[in-house]
Amino acid sequence: MAALGTAIDSLTAAMKCNIIPNQEYLLQGSVLDQYVEVLLHRLRGLCDNVDSGPETFNDHELCYSLRANNVNTPMALPLRVRRALDVSDAPFQLRYVGQQELGDKNRPTVVRSCIDMACSSTIIEFLSELGCRLDFEYIARGYMFRKGRMKVTVSKIFKMNGIANKPGEGVEAISQSYLVELSVQAPSGQDAIAEDMRVFAEQLRPLVQLEKIDYKRLGNMM
Amino acid sequence: MQQREEKQLESSLESIIQRVNDLKASLASMIFKIENEYESLNWPKFLDNYALISGQLISLSKVLSHEKCTNLRNLTVLPLMLSPERDEQLIQMTEGRITTFSHDLVPDYLRTKLEPLAEKKMLQLEHKAQGLQYDNAQKQIAAYQKVVTHVWDIVSKAREEWEVEASSRGNTQQNSSVADTHLLVAAVGMGKGLKMGPNPNGQPNSTSGGMMVAPGRPGGPPGQGPIPPSSQAMSMSKAPSAIKTNIKSAAQMHPYNR
């Protein structure tokens, strides 16, 4: 118990010192399949990992939610598990993503609270035992670039067909475009990075329009 | 009156000297870096140094153009005595660059005009311009103007073409689709079109509160997706009530309660 106490103590201390990168600054966009090569070429030129080339990934993401039984205030705690399909010994990643804040027009990016942690494969069993329900899942395959603290992912999103026994089989792409995301994780209050992101996003126009996308409005539209 | 002016001159000279010294120090450090740290020097560092120097230059020129600063042009430096002998004080003041205040050095150091060569050339050109016939001058001006307008035409034509191309490219060549962006973002963010549960409209199944994904797949590939409704119902009926209370307490102690 004492050990637990100190762990929580050090966690609160870290929170107080504001060193935990718990804010994600995010811009999203897409590019049509036939132009993705052009975009990759441009990103290769703009980003840091020039000589090594872009990193590829093939990830399976499972989105769980933990719901309270409260009728009056329905609330769900979203939790996402991500695992690499191409690297078998890579740890699983558990991620909490909070409500996004759009802010006013002057704020260049969406900001949402977000906590990432590495975990083992038993996380899936653990979440199930906890009462989390699998909402949806998908496979993301694509390329990852870095530019300073910024991360750029260009990924194709695949829907999983229930019949397939293994993830990676029997999947179908959900659109004719690649999803492009530009994000930075930082401790709260470091709003200056958002401006850097805006400048970087500007360099990718008109190939990709990286924008703040409002999930709520999206929910009503579609 | 004179005393005040002298004071002003002194203070402005002091601030100018200070700024020049700053500039000198940062120039020296940059030269040192280029000569000694060229292996580890990267562009951002180099540009930082450069920005520092240009900032100092700007502040120096601000000081010089300030109205309180005495106009240095109106002042004369008058060498009173020249000597071919070594002057220790001068060496110290100039950090070892000038050893004597002698006849051959002073004209160079106190020079305010152009270099002799440049001055000579300027004079020649001025003579030539004066000796030119009026008609000839007119002809040359006309020829020159013709060349300039020609170049101007080429440049503006190129610019026009470039702008047309840019605007047409912006209009016709569609590299991305807004609909696709929204589709993808909604899918990744909210699972639109990815959910395969009993509720096809994507609404969370609020009545099935503590429903679980079927246990018994420990750590195995979870790629099967949500299980078909029949087995879901089964697992729901099987689920012991203890789990429900577990959820509640977990939700209550969770820090992300909203």
Side-chain angles (χ1 to χ4, degrees):
Chain A
M1 203 58 209
L4 187 67
T6 47
I8 284 176
D9 283 351
S10 49
L11 186 64
T12 25
M15 300 261 278
K16 267 185 195 149
C17 297
N18 202 18
I19 54 166
I20 299 180
N22 57 359
Q23 298 280 314
E24 185 179 47
Y25 297 80
L26 178 71
L27 286 173
Q28 291 172 308
S30 75
V31 65
L32 290 169
D33 285 354
Q34 59 263 46
Y35 297 110
V36 75
E37 282 302 324
V38 187
L39 175 69
L40 292 177
H41 196 264
R42 188 175 295 185
L43 282 169
R44 254 198 292 274
L46 288 171
C47 292
D48 290 343
N49 37 353
V50 187
D51 14 298
S52 56
E55 250 176 77
T56 56
F57 61 83
N58 182 4
D59 287 354
H60 178 202
E61 182 148 328
L62 299 125
C63 300
Y64 289 88
S65 61
L66 185 63
R67 293 174 193 283
N69 274 0
N70 216 326
V71 183
N72 297 329
T73 51
M75 51 160 267
L77 178 73
L79 288 169
R80 288 163 176 248
V81 176
R82 202 176 240 258
R83 63 193 195 105
L85 296 174
D86 47 351
V87 188
S88 53
D89 55 347
F92 283 41
Q93 184 198 39
L94 178 64
R95 163 168 247 230
Y96 161 78
V97 177
Q99 284 288 344
Q100 55 162 1
E101 295 166 33
L102 268 117
D104 54 6
K105 267 196 169 176
N106 298 327
R107 185 183 262 181
T109 71
V110 165
V111 181
R112 59 190 193 184
S113 58
C114 139
I115 294 171
D116 279 317
M117 61 216 90
C119 46
S120 68
S121 59
T122 49
I123 185 67
I124 292 181
E125 200 186 344
F126 176 74
L127 289 179
S128 304
E129 291 292 327
L130 206 62
C132 290
R133 205 186 58 156
L134 182 66
D135 272 347
F136 58 94
E137 58 184 330
Y138 61 86
I139 285 180
R141 280 178 205 159
Y143 307 89
M144 197 269 284
F145 294 86
R146 274 178 291 110
K147 166 84 176 165
R149 283 203 287 171
M150 289 182 264
K151 183 173 92 175
V152 187
T153 56
V154 180
S155 47
K156 192 90 188 154
I157 305 299
F158 295 91
K159 180 179 173 176
M160 318 212 27
N161 286 331
I163 330 125
N165 290 325
K166 275 188 199 161
E169 280 176 20
V171 295
E172 60 174 310
I174 60 166
S175 85
Q176 302 296 306
S177 290
Y178 276 77
L179 176 68
V180 183
E181 289 184 304
L182 172 63
S183 65
V184 173
Q185 268 173 264
S188 54
Q190 298 200 354
D191 289 346
I193 190 71
E195 189 55 31
D196 292 352
M197 289 171 67
R198 192 190 59 78
V199 172
F200 186 80
E202 205 64 39
Q203 290 177 323
L204 294 179
R205 278 170 194 265
L207 210 48
V208 188
Q209 315 268 341
L210 287 171
E211 282 163 342
K212 300 201 289 185
I213 293 175
D214 188 351
Y215 281 28
K216 279 181 206 142
R217 261 184 48 204
L218 219 55
N220 298 336
M221 263 162 50
M222 301 181 75
Chain B
M1 187 68 186
Q2 215 171 7
Q3 229 175 9
R4 216 188 65 191
E5 271 179 13
E6 255 172 42
K7 253 189 191 164
Q8 219 172 52
L9 174 66
E10 219 163 85
S11 71
S12 54
L13 271 182
E14 211 165 90
S15 63
I16 290 169
I17 287 170
Q18 192 199 330
R19 291 212 168 46
V20 170
N21 274 333
D22 287 350
L23 190 62
K24 205 176 77 185
S26 44
L27 276 175
S29 84
M30 186 151 170
I31 291 169
F32 180 83
K33 268 185 191 146
I34 292 171
E35 282 177 351
N36 295 297
E37 297 171 18
Y38 53 88
E39 273 171 357
S40 60
L41 194 67
N42 54 17
W43 268 112
K45 261 193 212 162
F46 185 82
L47 289 177
D48 276 354
N49 266 299
Y50 186 76
L52 181 69
I53 288 169
S54 74
Q56 281 169 341
L57 273 174
I58 288 169
S59 83
L60 177 64
S61 62
K62 256 187 197 162
V63 169
L64 285 175
S65 62
H66 197 267
E67 53 185 27
K68 272 199 181 155
C69 179
T70 330
N71 198 347
L72 295 176
R73 252 176 225 280
N74 300 339
L75 299 171
T76 321
V77 177
L78 185 65
L80 291 175
M81 195 182 74
L82 300 176
S83 102
E85 271 160 38
R86 207 176 147 87
D87 186 342
E88 287 301 328
Q89 207 183 348
L90 187 68
I91 293 173
Q92 209 181 352
M93 265 169 67
T94 58
E95 292 170 358
R97 280 191 297 271
I98 306 169
T99 51
T100 51
F101 200 62
S102 63
H103 298 74
D104 53 338
L105 285 175
V106 167
D108 284 344
Y109 279 105
L110 297 185
R111 189 175 184 82
T112 52
K113 285 188 179 175
L114 287 174
E115 293 250 321
L117 258 174
E119 204 170 32
K120 211 168 145 192
K121 216 157 194 177
M122 278 296 285
L123 250 151
Q124 272 179 3
L125 286 174
E126 266 167 28
H127 271 300
K128 209 176 163 186
Q130 275 168 5
L132 209 63
Q133 295 270 313
Y134 178 77
D135 286 355
N136 261 345
Q138 283 299 321
K139 261 185 210 163
Q140 280 186 9
I141 290 170
Y144 191 60
Q145 242 165 9
K146 206 174 153 189
V147 171
V148 169
T149 36
H150 188 60
V151 172
W152 172 258
D153 278 351
I154 291 173
V155 170
S156 45
K157 205 175 166 187
R159 180 184 156 171
E160 213 167 89
E161 273 172 15
W162 181 52
E163 272 177 357
V164 165
E165 195 189 330
S167 65
S168 69
R169 196 172 43 194
N171 291 336
T172 56
Q173 198 180 345
Q174 191 81 24
N175 296 314
S176 57
S177 128
V178 179
D180 272 1
T181 304
H182 288 166
L183 177 76
L184 286 166
V185 170
V188 170
M190 301 178 292
K192 269 259 150 88
L194 292 172
K195 293 183 188 181
M196 291 184 298
N199 249 340
N201 59 358
Q203 277 295 311
N205 209 344
S206 56
T207 48
S208 59
M211 191 178 71
M212 297 169 42
V213 176
R217 287 189 296 161
Q224 289 166 338
I227 28 171
S230 59
S231 60
Q232 257 179 0
M234 259 168 63
S235 75
M236 200 162 77
S237 59
K238 266 193 240 166
S241 59
I243 287 176
K244 277 195 179 178
T245 40
N246 274 351
I247 297 158
K248 247 189 180 171
S249 58
Q252 274 161 2
M253 66 184 258
H254 212 280
Y256 305 111
N257 234 332
R258 281 172 198 276

